[in-house]
Amino acid sequence: DAGITQSPRYKITETGRQVTLMCHQTWSHSYMFWYRQDLGHGLRLIYYSAAADITDKGEVPDGYVVSRSKTENFPLTLESATRSQTSVYFCASSLSLNEKLFFGSGTQLSVL
Amino acid sequence: EDQVTQSPEALRLQEGESSSLNCSYTVSGLRGLFWYRQDPGKGPEFLFTLYSAGEEKEKERLKATLTKKESFLHITAPKPEDSATYLCAVQTAGGYQKVTFGTGTKLQVIP
């Protein structure tokens, strides 16, 4: 099916481990984003990408790394997971900078 | 610092009981205001974009309005399937996509 897909849906890991969350979109949207959603906070931008090989920090980038070698993929890596990174992570894409966002179904990550 | 505040945090309505959700914002240089709907366990789904004060958009039982300080999402004669969390987001001018999300209003419509 066309759209934006995230994997895994659920992930449990331990502190200090490296974790990669995957995001794939089939629309050829230029912009892709990673958000985290926590109780009491709105969605917060971690990183975004304007095109392949172009990425930039958002509001809460510390502890995260992204790459975008292909337009359709935008993986998010937690280099050394911490408990504070327990959250629901959403990948999103948009056609251009000022357009509406299309979200994936999210990855629920628990860091023990 | 850009701020977006949604109220109420939660709202319980009887089926058919109309009401409004509020999104107030303090930002510099509003580019657009977005409304999204989020069902449990899913990502937000786009509803509306409003760009200037006085603008209104409608979709089925939902109507969004915008002033210089706030936006309302009016729900007319809601049905149980309208139960969801409604998120407001504002986009401002910036070097990257500067979108600030509110924490949402959780709406429950009871049959």
Side-chain angles (χ1 to χ4, degrees), chain B residues 38-59:
Chain B
Q38 186 174 21
D39 293 299
K42 295 189 176 181
E45 181 180 345
F46 171 78
L47 292 173
F48 304 108
T49 309
L50 302 167
Y51 294 104
S52 57
E55 189 174 0
E56 299 181 351
K57 295 261 179 86
E58 283 189 71
K59 179 181 179 180

Side-chain angles (χ1 to χ4, degrees), chain B residues 7-71:
Chain B
S7 62
E9 288 186 12
L11 182 62
R12 197 176 184 197
L13 299 174
Q14 289 292 132
E15 185 172 1
E17 179 186 1
S18 300
S19 188
S20 297
L21 312 183
N22 178 262
C23 172
S24 62
Y25 59 91
T26 306
V27 299
S28 54
L30 179 71
R31 281 275 181 90
L33 186 142
F34 300 82
W35 282 98
Y36 291 87
R37 169 193 170 125
Q38 186 174 21
D39 293 299
K42 295 189 176 181
E45 181 180 345
F46 171 78
L47 292 173
F48 304 108
T49 309
L50 302 167
Y51 294 104
S52 57
E55 189 174 0
E56 299 181 351
K57 295 261 179 86
E58 283 189 71
K59 179 181 179 180
E60 296 181 355
R61 296 176 291 282
L62 300 177
K63 179 180 178 180
T65 62
L66 181 65
T67 72
K68 288 186 178 180
K69 293 183 178 181
E70 59 192 348
S71 176

Side-chain angles (χ1 to χ4, degrees), chain B residues 85-102:
Chain B
T85 296
Y86 291 85
L87 303 176
C88 166
V90 296
Q91 182 174 26
T92 59
Y96 56 90
Q97 171 138 10
K98 189 70 171 71
V99 176
T100 303
F101 279 85

Side-chain angles (χ1 to χ4, degrees), chain A residues 9 33 35 37 40-43 45 48 90 94 97-101 103-105, chain B residues 31 34 36 38 41-44 46 49 51 87 91 95-97 99 101-103:
Chain A
R9 188 77 177 88
F33 309 85
Y35 284 90
Q37 187 173 43
H41 293 275
L43 285 156
L45 182 64
Y48 78 105
F90 288 101
S94 70
L97 188 59
N98 300 317
E99 293 283 327
K100 62 189 176 187
L101 298 172
F103 286 86
S105 296
Chain B
R31 281 275 181 90
F34 300 82
Y36 291 87
Q38 186 174 21
K42 295 189 176 181
F46 171 78
T49 309
Y51 294 104
L87 303 176
Q91 182 174 26
Y96 56 90
Q97 171 138 10
V99 176
F101 279 85
T103 52

Side-chain angles (χ1 to χ4, degrees), chain A residues 16-103:
Chain A
R17 290 194 180 255
Q18 184 180 82
V19 177
T20 297
L21 310 184
M22 305 301 292
C23 179
H24 175 80
Q25 55 109 349
T26 59
W27 290 306
S28 299
H29 285 172
S30 296
Y31 285 83
M32 295 188 75
F33 309 85
W34 275 106
Y35 284 90
R36 61 178 290 174
Q37 187 173 43
D38 304 288
L39 280 174
H41 293 275
L43 285 156
R44 292 181 290 175
L45 182 64
I46 304 170
Y47 269 95
Y48 78 105
S49 169
D53 298 321
I54 301 175
T55 62
D56 207 348
K57 297 177 181 179
E59 181 184 356
V60 288
D62 293 343
Y64 303 95
V65 174
V66 293
S67 62
R68 195 165 176 209
S69 57
K70 293 183 178 181
T71 301
E72 61 266 30
N73 297 324
F74 191 40
L76 176 74
T77 298
L78 288 67
E79 292 189 300
S80 178
T82 66
R83 289 199 179 94
S84 65
Q85 293 177 310
T86 293
S87 185
V88 180
Y89 291 85
F90 288 101
C91 179
S93 70
S94 70
L95 193 58
S96 66
L97 188 59
N98 300 317
E99 293 283 327
K100 62 189 176 187
L101 298 172
F102 293 85
F103 286 86

